[in-house]
Amino acid sequence: MLNYLWAGMIVIGILFGAFNGKMPEITNAALDSSREAVTLCITMIGVMSFWVGMMEIATKAGIIESASCRLRPFIHFLFPAIPKGHKAEEHITTNFIANILGLGWAATPAGLRAMEELGILEEDRRAGKLPGPVRKRGIASNEMCTFLILNISSLQLIPVNVIAYRSQYGSVNPTAIVGPGIAATAVSTIVAIIYCKMMDGKRRV
């Protein structure tokens, strides 16, 4: 659907420019935007590579494992059906830490691994190896839904990606977004946790 939407907007823009004699402006804008997109991608690749590497070092050094132990009560509160010590806990913790630091791209690999482990957990329930409600194939489990919602609404203390964007586009004070970002994401995270707990209770009935 989005592909059709974007394609329609592009076609309408080109036709509008053609009928109004703005084709040179459209051509120049397309070339300028392409050059700017490449520059922005190079900047963000550098930021992403650095922080993904830092998260990998933290994992190898045992920092993530230590943080996982400290966050275990909170993780268990959010995901009570995940057995203690399950691999999903470590990946969820890594994902949460990266999101809190505003490293959305660095959080993606851990998020994918967490979803894979949650999928394995659901298969174990279907096989009768673990207790808990069993969903039909193709229907996300409570843990998957909770994890996805918390990812979307995640608390961010240092929005690194947004700061990099603002710096790239010449912001006078790129870090001015930190305060409003913390306030907005704190509210969204609290609302997400309340919503997940309410829906989790309904789905278990």
Side-chain angles (χ1 to χ4, degrees), residues 17-92:
F19 283 112
N20 288 274
K22 301 290 186 179
M23 285 305 294
E25 287 84 349
I26 292 176
T27 302
N28 291 334
L31 294 175
D32 291 341
S33 297
S34 300
R35 182 173 60 252
E36 187 176 338
V38 171
T39 303
L40 180 61
C41 286
I42 292 173
T43 300
M44 297 312 296
I45 286 173
V47 174
M48 181 184 68
S49 300
F50 173 76
W51 284 106
V52 168
M54 291 296 290
M55 293 300 293
E56 190 66 24
I57 291 172
T59 301
K60 298 292 185 182
I63 297 174
I64 298 301
E65 185 177 352
S66 176
S68 179
C69 292
R70 294 176 182 276
L71 291 175
R72 188 162 292 161
F74 180 65
I75 298 296
H76 183 67
F77 168 74
L78 294 174
F79 305 94
I82 296 180
K84 291 184 178 181
H86 195 274
K87 289 183 179 179
E89 282 188 347
E90 181 180 344
H91 298 313
I92 289 173

